[in-house]
Each structure stands twice: as structure tokens, then as C-alpha cells.
Amino acid sequence: MLTLQKIPRSIFALLFILLASCSVQEGNVDSGNRLGILHYGNGSEPQGLDPHVVTGVPENHLVRALFEGLAVKNPYTLEPEPGVAERWEFSDDKRIVNFFINPRARWSNGDPVQASDYVWSWRRALHPEMGNPYSYMLFPVKNAEAFAKGQISDFGKVGVKALDERTLEVTLNEPTPYFIQLMDHYSTFAVHPPTIMKFGASTDRYTKWTREENIVGNGPFVLTEWKLNRRIVVEKSSTYWDRNKVSLNGVVFYPTENSVTEERMFRVGQLHYTASVPLDKIPIYREMENTPYVQAPYLGTYYYLLNINKKPLDDIRVRKALSLSIDRDKLASTVLQGTAVPAYSITPPNTLGYDPPKLFGYDPEKAKQLMTEAGFPNGKNWPGIEIIYNTSESHRKIAVAIQQMWASTLNIQVTLSNQEWKVYLDSVDQMDFDIARRGWIGDYVDPNNFLDLFISSGGNNSTGYADGIYDDLVLRKATKASSRELRYQIFHRAETMLMQAMPIIPIYTYTSKHLINPSVKGLPSNLMDSLNLKYVWLDNLKKEER
Amino acid sequence: MTERQHFEISDLDSGISLGKDAWIRLRKNRLAVGGLVILVFFFVIALLTPWIAPYDYEIQDLDLGATGPSLKHWLGTDIFGRDLLTQIMYGGRISLSVGFLATIVALVIGVTWGSIAGYIGGRTDAVMMRLVDILYALPFMIFIILLMVVFGRNMLLLFLAIGAVEWLTMARIMRGQVQTLRQQEFVEAAVAMGLSRSMILIRHIVPNAVGPIIVYTTLTIPGVMLLEAFLSFLGLGIQPPKTSWGLLIAYGAETMEEYPWLLLFPGFFLATTLFSLNFLGDGLRDALDVRSAKD
């Protein structure tokens, strides 16, 4: 008996020692608050750091820390404000913009940022050999599209000119209301020409210039360490023109692919900010007092790409049947824990006053009928298809739920396959899939950003959808529209066409979900979940106050 | 006294086969018998699952979601509202078959390879064991990924791939055993009697090495089950909605704070199986060890 009583006591003693030693050790958050270093969960390991090569949200955060566009978004209002350009002027017909480059703008090696750097960089961004998936961001510029498609080889004909060292003149095809917003997108960023040329031809992808010892940027931070799959460290730049406004001394980006691990890291004080929150944890965080959980509407759509060149998805009836048999309301309220809005089209609702068409809903009877017409009555003769998704807990859950919805409504076999992010991006680029999970986050607040995904030459189309009328509506008719209402009417027509052809299955509209440590300030929620590190600062609260 | 001795002698006269002898001794080991009973029970359940499972493992009830154990769902449901008991039963089918089939593959290849190399010795031994070394040096993940890429995703292939990786250690252990046994008098006697090499291996050497083989086999089975869970988690093995214990545990671990039963129950079944295997292996080793048989 005596020994039995002693055991728990010694365990308590042990626990106490363990707990005591825990509190003594300083976590990343505490040391970060002291040193002014933000520990940032960035979702996944970036594909690269070359602004003209990458796509994706994790890359966006990194590239915009290391580089700066002509104009940047204010995180509170999302209005463009001066970046590398101190101001810009539109001509009277709104077809010519002059950017006046800030004389204090510097590359991180000390060179001044010049207008000619932009001409050189935009040639690189648009060059067909570069294969930049976002080259279309510059298509509003005169002749840019023709150059990107190889129809003209003389870059001199493209509407961008350096009038002098500090003045960049851009000629547009049409008045483009959102053009200044595009200047905060990384594919329009300037890169440092001598650095690129040192490590290969101007249009080589994945050269060594993005290594930490080589890279030259013009953003508020410089790269100091890149440990693959471990962390990326950036430090406040000493050459950045607006450095007095930067209050962080550095940021450490973590490739937190597993949101469960990420949440644990947050809980033990290793992260200030998480890229996501595990769905199952949301109800618990919602109920907490002073919760670090922050949810906000987000300009993004979660959808499945259908490869319409492959059987059986080449049949429009099959595509419609698949889409009609997904019960999005149930998915949103159960698996997604009420953190998402069901989507029936690609553009998120109320995108700067634009609302997309809703052509269909959950209709299992119609879906069965369509499958019968397509030659698969009750799943007979079904060849079997595969859904690919990048490895993530929430993508798996959605796929498992949809797999079962299709199985129970249409009696068809669908297999799932998860892939690592880079492998997944490759599969999508090469259209090596039947169905692929996809999310699209708006690069600027305008329906055009969602609708021009599916133009026949779009680098992110990835479905095989190509329709001349659609291209014409989105690329030409809409840009010529004289008023916003007319422009939105044209978009509405295009989007109706798109959803009638159903090359994608829209599933839900995103909300942004993060855990944010209370010491992080200047990081407001906005529709674009846009991070402007220049505004972020850390309030070094005492433990008692927290 | 004399009567009893007499009885024993006549018992020996009538002859007890090696197997029966082992069985008698195994039966005396209560832990081993318990393990055996549990394993047999799990096997029977796994075999009968399609007929006795309370629910369809694919059917979801999203509105229900994750619920704890109840009268309707004895072990609760997962986040898709699927019955956990059903999931565990179907998962057991896959885990047990992967565990045993892959181990049998490893056992057959490993024992054959190791005993041949060990018995023949010399240059043959050197060549055969260097091959094992080379295969050891190959990163097995790459090997399995390659197999999956070339032959596509396939359950049977998964068994073979895991088995083909796991036999290496078995071969080494077997070779070591055979090398010591080869020097023993009873082998020399067998050689003197003019038995063929294969006969000596099968009748005299392998039965004497059964102890280490069994012990290592019982270690291999859990290893294989975990390997399957690992591969499935990476997207190379079982894919949803099919499941295995390893996968159930991997998913359960992610939500262990909110829905602990999703981790506890599959974990309980895996742990019970592994314990049973260990006890049974222990008992079998004692029972089958011919050297200690007539002590």
C-alpha cells in the first residue's frame, strides 16, 4: 500500500518538473516578439521564388516580401498605393499610363530600380519560352498577347517603353479599370536583369539566381536562408526605399503542409500565424474567449477541373450529372463545418458588385437521367475515373464525401489519389488527370480575374475548354464596354456559357481562416487575404496581459 | 514410481510427432493460447465481415457526423457519419491480409535464400549475400514508388512489394543460423548417411532454425502492418473509401482531441493483434525449439 501511494506522488513530481521546464523554454512566438521576427505558417514549400515562374498563394507571400510592384495594395482598403512608382498618370482616353518610378527605389545590391528594368522584365514575363502561367496578367498591354503567343517577335511593338530612367509609359489595348491593381501581381514585377543573366539566359526557368546567395530583389525584405521543407528566412532590407515603415526585423516562413501539425505548432507558441485551421478544430476555437481564430470572406472558389478531352468527361451530360449530384449545402454545413458558401459558378458572389449566374442546384434525379442518356444507366459501363488532389486533410475529406455522393446517386466508381504539391501542379499543367481539385484565389477584385481563366489560351485553363465566342466576350467585348453595368452584363453572358459547358465543377466559395497570435498587429482581414508585411508589427505583450 | 515410469515409456513407444509434441507444450502456455484464440477470432470476423458487418462501409451520413459510441453505433461514427465498427472490420480485412501475406512472401523468399546461401557457402554465398546487401542499400520507398508507377496501384502488388522488401533481414538471420547448424554433429551424420543437400536442408536444418524464424516473423507482421499504413498515408497504398487499421489510426490521430474514439478503437484492435502475435510467437518458439524439446 505504501508503495502504491508513493508512485502517484513521484509521477506528480515528474510532471511538475516537466511543466516547469516547459515554461522556462522560450517558444518562437516569445523570442519573435522580443526580436521583431514574425513566424509565419505559409502552407507549403514554394515551387520557386522566380516571379515569372511561380503560381500559388504560398509563393505569393514570399515573392511579395522579396519584390515590390509598381503599385501595392493597402491591406485595409485594397486600394492601390505607391510602390516602386511614386505616382502614375492616365491619359485622357485612359489608354496610356505613365508610371513615375520613385528615385529612392533600390535593388537589394544597391542599384537603382529603373524604368528599363521593367521593359526587360515584362519581355521576360511575356516571352513564349518563359512559359509564365500568369503572362496574361499583362495582356491588357498593347500587343502583349501577340508577343506571348509568338505572333510577333519584336518586343518593340509591345506597348511598354522607358521614356527615361524614371518614367515608364504603358499603352493599353482598351481602357482597363483594374490595370493598376495588376501591378501588385508578381508576374508584373521587375527582376534584376544582370542577376538573371549571370545564371543563364533571360528566359531560363529554375536557374540558380533565386538561391539565397544570389537573389537580388527590390522588396521590403531580403532572403537570408532557404532550408528546403524546413523554413525560409527573410530579413528587413537595408536598401528598400520605404524601410522606415517596415517594423518587422524579419519573417520566418514555414512550409506547414499539414494543417493539424500547424495548429499544434501554433498552440505551443511556435507560430504567430497559420495558413489554415483544421476543420475539426474550428468549433472548439469558435467557442474560445479571445479566440485567435479569424474567419473572413475570401475572394476564391474551390472547384474540380474536368479534363474534357478524356472519356467519359468529354460528354457534357456526364459533366452535368457529376455536378448536379453534389449536395453542396450539405457539404458546406457538415464536412466544411459551416466555413464555406456553396458555389454554383466560378466567380464568387458580390465581386465588386457582380453576381454570377446560378444555373443549377442539387438535382439527383436529373443527374441520373443525364447519365442514362450518356450511356451509363445506374453506373453501367462506367470506365472509372480518378480525382487527384494535393495532399491535405481538408481536400481529402471533401473528395471522400463527393466520391460517396457520386457512388450513391450515380452508382459510379471514382478513385482518389493524393499528390505532393509540386507533382500535383505538374499533373494539372500537363492535364494528366481526369478530375483535379483546384482552388482559384482572385489576384485582383474583378470578375475578369475568374473568367479569363477559361479563355482558350489561358495558362490556368487546364480543362481543354476552348470556345471562340467565350474568348471574344471576355477578352474583347467586355474590355470595350462603356460602363460597369454593360461590362458586367457581358461577363454574365460569358459565365452562363461557361457553366452550360461545365468544364469545371464549382464546389464552394472560400473563407479565409487563420489562427493569429494576439501580438500580431497590422494584419487586417480583407477580401483578398492580402498580406502586406510592410504594415505588420508585433506588440510585445507581457505574459500576464495576454 | 515404477508404474508411472512405465507409462511414460510406453507413451514414447507409441510415438508423438514433433508437431503434436509442440502443440501439447503450446497448450500449456496460457498467454500463447489466449493470443491464438484472439487471432483466430479476428480472422473469422475478417472472413465473415461482408456478411456480418452492421453497416455498409461506404455509406455516409453527413448530417450525423462524428458521434461517440451509442447503441446504434457501438463504436461511434467518423466525421462522415460512417459506422466505426464497420470501418474497423473492413480495415482489419486489409491489415490482416497485408500483414500475413506480405510476411509469408518475405518468409518464403528469405528462408530459401538464406539457407541456400548459408549451407552451400563459398562463392555462392558471397554472391547471394552481396545481392542482399545491394537490395538493402536501395531506398525502399523509391523501390515501392517505382513498382507502383510501373504496375499501377494494386492491392496484390502492395503485398508483394512489401514482402519483397522485408525478406532481406530474414535471409540474413537464416544464413547465420544455417552456418552454425551446418557444423553440428547431426548434420554430419546426415551427410554420412548420404542424404541429398536439399533433404538435409529441409529435414534437418530448417526445423532446427524454426525458433529464430518464428520470432522474427512475429516481429515482421506488425512492421508490415505499419508499413502499409505509412504507404497508404502517402497515397501509395490503400485509397479511400477502402481503409485499413493503419489508416484509421492515422486519421484518428489528427482529430484525437475532438473525437478520441476514432483513434482509441482502431488503436485498440491493432494493439491487441500485435500483442497476440507476440505472445503466440513467444509460445511457438518455446514449443517448437527441438533442442529444448527433450530436456
Side-chain angles (χ1 to χ4, degrees), chain B residues 107-137 164 167-176 178-179 182 197 201:
Chain B
L107 196 68
V108 170
I109 305 177
V111 167
T112 317
W113 195 270
S115 48
I116 290 174
Y119 190 69
I120 296 178
R123 199 169 285 169
T124 319
D125 176 37
V127 171
M128 287 174 89
M129 292 325 281
R130 287 308 79 72
L131 197 77
V132 170
D133 292 344
I134 290 169
L135 287 177
Y136 244 120
W167 68 270
L168 301 169
T169 316
M170 188 69 89
R172 281 187 172 176
I173 290 175
M174 194 59 203
R175 172 175 170 270
V178 171
Q179 277 187 332
R182 191 170 61 163
R197 272 179 177 177
L201 266 179

Side-chain angles (χ1 to χ4, degrees), chain B residues 199-216:
Chain B
M199 208 59 186
I200 295 172
L201 266 179
I202 296 168
R203 296 286 303 192
H204 295 278
I205 292 186
V206 174
N208 276 288
V210 130
I213 294 176
I214 296 234
V215 173
Y216 187 69

Side-chain angles (χ1 to χ4, degrees), chain A residues 447-512:
Chain A
N448 184 62
N449 188 212
F450 287 84
L451 296 175
D452 74 355
L453 287 175
F454 300 100
I455 57 173
S456 43
S457 58
N460 286 303
N461 180 328
S462 308
T463 60
Y465 177 73
D467 189 324
I469 302 172
Y470 181 86
D471 292 358
D472 190 52
L473 284 173
V474 173
L475 289 178
R476 279 166 284 277
K477 295 236 165 70
T479 46
K480 284 194 182 116
S482 54
S483 70
R484 181 180 264 193
E485 281 87 67
L486 277 173
R487 188 159 170 268
Y488 281 3
Q489 275 170 24
I490 293 164
F491 280 144
H492 204 275
R493 243 168 73 204
E495 194 159 3
T496 307
M497 276 183 66
L498 180 74
M499 291 326 296
Q500 276 165 350
M502 200 81 75
I504 56 161
I505 298 179
I507 296 170
Y508 68 85
T509 305
Y510 279 98
T511 49
S512 60

Side-chain angles (χ1 to χ4, degrees), chain A residues 46-326:
Chain A
Q47 201 188 0
L49 290 178
D50 188 328
H52 301 149
V53 170
V54 298
T55 62
V57 174
E59 289 83 358
N60 179 35
H61 294 147
L62 280 161
V63 169
R64 286 175 61 237
L66 301 174
F67 297 87
E68 186 176 54
L70 287 166
V72 297
K73 280 191 285 285
N74 181 300
Y76 293 89
T77 62
L78 293 181
E79 293 296 332
E81 59 182 28
V84 171
E86 57 182 350
R87 63 195 176 87
W88 48 86
E89 270 172 13
F90 275 96
S91 65
D92 290 337
D93 66 353
K94 308 263 189 213
R95 278 170 203 260
I96 295 173
V97 205
N98 279 319
F99 289 98
F100 300 97
I101 288 172
N102 190 322
R104 287 181 295 151
R106 290 279 180 280
W107 292 102
S108 55
N109 65 352
D111 292 357
V113 180
Q114 296 178 340
S116 57
D117 293 340
Y118 275 89
V119 179
W120 192 91
S121 299
W122 286 13
R123 177 180 177 275
R124 180 175 189 261
L126 284 168
H127 203 287
E129 281 170 21
M130 195 66 211
N132 175 7
Y134 275 115
S135 58
Y136 64 86
M137 284 286 162
L138 285 167
F139 284 4
V141 177
K142 196 180 143 202
N143 284 335
E145 190 176 357
F147 180 78
K149 288 180 180 162
Q151 289 155 358
I152 54 169
S153 52
D154 178 11
F155 191 71
K157 288 185 183 151
V158 178
V160 55
K161 248 191 283 184
L163 296 183
D164 57 52
E165 274 183 14
R166 285 184 43 212
T167 317
L168 185 73
E169 184 196 79
V170 180
T171 313
L172 304 175
N173 283 321
E174 307 292 339
T176 311
Y178 52 85
F179 188 70
I180 301 298
Q181 277 195 53
L182 299 181
M183 295 302 103
D184 194 25
H185 188 275
Y186 46 81
S187 71
T188 71
F189 284 7
V191 288
H192 189 239
T195 307
I196 308 257
M197 298 308 287
K198 209 159 95 189
F199 296 97
S202 67
T203 56
D204 281 351
R205 292 163 71 94
Y206 300 116
T207 63
K208 287 181 180 167
W209 83 271
T210 52
R211 296 266 181 93
E212 66 216 46
E213 64 272 21
N214 304 330
I215 192 165
V216 173
N218 64 342
F221 293 89
V222 291
L223 183 67
T224 53
E225 189 188 335
W226 184 355
K227 284 231 167 80
L228 205 66
N229 288 323
R230 288 187 55 201
R231 61 171 175 267
I232 293 180
V233 184
V234 301
E235 204 171 76
K236 184 176 172 177
S237 165
S238 55
T239 57
Y240 178 59
W241 66 272
D242 203 9
R243 55 187 171 271
N244 294 336
K245 211 170 166 189
V246 181
S247 41
L248 290 176
N249 290 321
V251 186
V252 186
F253 293 89
Y254 295 88
T256 48
E257 206 151 283
N258 183 333
S259 62
V260 178
T261 318
E262 187 183 39
E263 190 267 343
R264 276 183 205 147
M265 284 172 76
F266 179 84
R267 213 167 354 135
V268 298
Q270 296 296 319
L271 288 178
H272 278 111
Y273 176 97
T274 67
S276 60
V277 185
L279 290 174
D280 301 306
K281 296 259 159 47
I282 288 174
I284 297 172
Y285 273 107
R286 274 209 186 118
E287 282 165 22
M288 270 166 76
E289 248 179 276
N290 298 325
T291 178
Y293 176 68
V294 181
Q295 178 179 323
Y298 189 34
L299 187 73
T301 307
Y302 188 101
Y303 57 101
Y304 278 172
L305 291 167
L306 304 178
N307 188 341
I308 70 171
N309 296 335
K310 268 196 184 173
K311 274 189 186 308
L313 297 170
D314 57 342
D315 189 328
I316 185 167
R317 291 167 298 195
V318 174
R319 302 202 293 269
K320 282 193 169 159
L322 291 178
S323 185
L324 290 175
S325 47
I326 296 177

Side-chain angles (χ1 to χ4, degrees), chain A residues 413-432:
Chain A
Q413 196 68 47
V414 178
T415 51
L416 307 183
S417 163
N418 56 333
Q419 300 183 338
E420 191 264 339
W421 177 243
K422 287 177 203 175
V423 178
Y424 155 83
L425 283 180
D426 259 3
S427 305
V428 170
D429 276 351
Q430 292 162 12
M431 284 181 66
D432 181 17

Side-chain angles (χ1 to χ4, degrees), chain B residues 13-284:
Chain B
D13 284 345
S14 71
I16 296 178
S17 73
L18 207 65
K20 202 174 173 189
D21 188 44
W23 174 238
I24 289 169
R25 264 175 298 150
L26 183 67
R27 268 199 321 211
K28 286 184 193 152
N29 186 335
R30 268 191 289 168
L31 276 177
V33 173
L36 185 66
V37 169
I38 290 174
L39 283 177
V40 169
F41 176 68
F42 281 1
F43 265 103
V44 171
I45 296 283
L47 277 175
L48 297 179
T49 292
W51 294 278
I52 60 168
Y55 294 89
D56 185 330
Y57 76 105
E58 283 185 330
I59 296 293
Q60 302 178 352
D61 184 350
L62 291 177
D63 291 325
L64 183 66
T67 57
S70 62
L71 276 179
K72 222 173 150 207
H73 300 277
W74 291 355
L75 301 186
T77 54
D78 69 2
I79 61 146
F80 300 104
R82 294 180 295 196
D83 182 59
L84 186 61
L85 179 62
T86 313
Q87 296 264 328
I88 290 175
M89 285 166 84
Y90 276 95
R93 275 167 81 84
I94 288 177
S95 284
L96 290 175
S97 45
V98 172
F100 282 87
L101 288 182
T103 306
I104 288 170
V105 171
L107 196 68
V108 170
I109 305 177
V111 167
T112 317
W113 195 270
S115 48
I116 290 174
Y119 190 69
I120 296 178
R123 199 169 285 169
T124 319
D125 176 37
V127 171
M128 287 174 89
M129 292 325 281
R130 287 308 79 72
L131 197 77
V132 170
D133 292 344
I134 290 169
L135 287 177
Y136 244 120
L138 276 182
F140 95 97
M141 277 307 298
I142 293 178
F143 180 64
I144 290 185
I145 291 171
L146 270 179
L147 278 178
M148 296 287 166
V149 169
V150 175
F151 295 105
R153 213 169 272 154
N154 179 326
M155 281 260 289
L156 197 68
L157 189 75
L158 186 71
F159 298 161
L160 290 178
I162 296 178
V165 170
E166 291 284 330
W167 68 270
L168 301 169
T169 316
M170 188 69 89
R172 281 187 172 176
I173 290 175
M174 194 59 203
R175 172 175 170 270
Q177 285 293 317
V178 171
Q179 277 187 332
T180 49
L181 288 172
R182 191 170 61 163
Q183 318 290 337
Q184 308 236 333
E185 291 85 350
F186 68 92
V187 175
E188 278 171 25
V191 173
M193 282 161 70
L195 283 180
S196 69
R197 272 179 177 177
S198 54
M199 208 59 186
I200 295 172
L201 266 179
I202 296 168
R203 296 286 303 192
H204 295 278
I205 292 186
V206 174
N208 276 288
V210 130
I213 294 176
I214 296 234
V215 173
Y216 187 69
T217 305
T218 55
L219 289 176
T220 307
I221 295 175
V224 165
M225 285 171 142
L226 294 176
L227 195 59
E228 175 274 319
F230 172 56
L231 287 174
S232 300
F233 197 65
L234 289 180
L236 293 167
I238 319 288
Q239 285 289 317
K242 285 204 185 73
T243 192
S244 69
W245 287 348
L247 269 185
L248 286 173
I249 290 171
Y251 296 148
E254 285 172 358
T255 53
M256 66 180 175
E257 281 151 81
E258 300 86 2
Y259 318 121
W261 61 92
L262 293 181
L263 174 64
L264 287 177
F265 290 123
F268 170 78
F269 282 95
L270 184 65
T272 311
T273 309
L274 303 189
F275 268 124
S276 306
L277 275 168
N278 272 329
F279 289 138
L280 182 63
D282 233 25
L284 276 176

